[in-house]
Amino acid sequence: MLSRVAPWLASRRDGAAPGVVVRVLGGADTADLLVLAQQDAVANVFILSHLATAGTASPTGGGATIFGVFDGGTLIGACWAGANLVPVQLDPELAGEVAVAAQQSGRRFASIFGPAETVLAMYAALEKLGQRAHDVRDHQPLMTIAGPPAVPPEPALGFGRLADFDRILPACAAMFEEEVGYSPFLGGREYYSRRVKGLIRQGHSLVHLGPDDEVVFKAELGAVTPEVTQVQGVWMNPALRGQGLSAGYMAAVVVLAQTVAPVTSLYVNGFNTKARATYERVGFRQVGTFATVLF
């Protein structure tokens, strides 16, 4: 049943399908959102991870909301709207409906990421509303592996410890800056530091510290469900790059991730041919295509 909401939380643009309504989801919508997201457990691991942790579509952490797209009272798509916009089983033809609601919310978003066609349709609508990206990565292979890696794992990789937080945090920040082009500390250190510390506490930080206690390699399980993990933040110390070490470390990531869930996933920039070749060597295979829009 549709809840009574403020005007900006429910919309139907001219030209939209009759009966299509966008509104913020509440706790009563949790079961429907779960069924929707489970249609693709790999692509929707972000929202499924939230539901596995919080157990509800509302409230969400950090003041995020989840928009639902309804047709005749049936939930046919959704979108996480927090620091980022993350579509869930959202038809590209309806992405504009969510873009309008997101714009009217007055919230600023750092990125949009998810299935490429929907992400690009959402950005096209936001661009018409005055939003401008500083980078659009329109081709990011979504890859998975189930079962053992195809190369021997590096045995030195293990789960990060809180005692090593002061060593892990600079490596995480270096990876972030390499990836998006600016420091994660721009708005202050607290939020990003808390995020990294939380991943360590959850057992989702994977790291190898060398003899000088410097990070040799690190990665995180950025989203986790009982079925799927999504690997993020893959980083090799620049001093050790080009030595053919990455495949062994990524194989170790798979082995450790599969102690948490049977399927390991990641998405990679299409232009990063070296990383793609490494993942394929380890045994990852493409199952879809993501895109990321950075604001």
Side-chain angles (χ1 to χ4, degrees), residues 26-221:
D29 301 301
T30 301
D32 288 341
L33 178 60
L34 181 60
V35 169
L36 181 76
Q38 285 176 334
Q39 293 177 23
D40 190 334
V42 172
N44 298 321
V45 65
F46 177 88
I47 195 70
L48 287 169
S49 177
H50 163 73
L51 291 175
T53 301
T56 179
S58 178
T60 63
T65 55
I66 303 174
F67 292 110
V69 182
F70 291 82
D71 186 2
T74 300
L75 183 65
I76 59 172
C79 185
W80 172 275
N84 311 292
L85 290 168
V86 187
V88 180
Q89 297 301 111
L90 183 60
D91 190 308
E93 294 186 0
L94 297 174
E97 309 298 315
V98 175
V100 169
Q103 174 79 358
Q104 291 176 344
S105 74
R107 187 170 190 136
R108 295 179 63 87
F109 304 102
S111 75
I112 316 169
F113 66 86
E117 193 175 356
T118 298
V119 166
L120 297 175
M122 188 176 295
Y123 175 56
L126 286 170
E127 193 172 29
K128 291 178 181 177
L129 296 169
Q131 299 284 343
R132 296 289 184 271
H134 85 260
D135 194 5
V136 178
R137 300 176 182 183
D138 60 2
H139 181 72
Q140 298 177 307
L142 176 63
M143 310 178 80
T144 65
I145 181 173
V151 300
E154 167 55 62
L157 190 71
F159 292 101
R161 304 178 305 157
L162 281 174
D164 298 319
F165 169 75
D166 289 340
R167 298 170 180 84
I168 295 171
L169 180 63
C172 291
M175 178 283 307
F176 185 100
E177 190 160 357
E178 279 187 51
E179 180 67 17
V180 302
Y182 59 85
S183 170
F185 300 139
L186 278 180
R189 296 175 64 92
E190 182 180 354
Y191 175 80
Y192 190 72
S193 297
R194 189 166 62 245
R195 166 69 174 161
V196 172
K197 194 169 288 186
L199 289 166
I200 297 171
R201 284 199 182 100
Q202 293 164 352
H204 297 166
S205 169
L206 312 176
V207 65
H208 173 206
L209 295 177
D212 297 326
D213 281 341
E214 289 191 358
V215 173
V216 174
F217 176 94
K218 69 94 188 170
E220 289 84 44
L221 306 180

Side-chain angles (χ1 to χ4, degrees), residues 202-262:
Q202 293 164 352
H204 297 166
S205 169
L206 312 176
V207 65
H208 173 206
L209 295 177
D212 297 326
D213 281 341
E214 289 191 358
V215 173
V216 174
F217 176 94
K218 69 94 188 170
E220 289 84 44
L221 306 180
V224 175
T225 73
E227 294 80 26
V228 182
T229 59
Q230 185 178 87
V231 178
Q232 299 174 353
V234 176
W235 185 84
M236 173 73 74
N237 191 310
L240 298 172
R241 294 175 188 176
Q243 299 181 29
L245 303 175
S246 295
Y249 279 108
M250 282 307 303
V253 167
V254 171
V255 170
L256 293 174
Q258 288 179 354
T259 66
V260 178

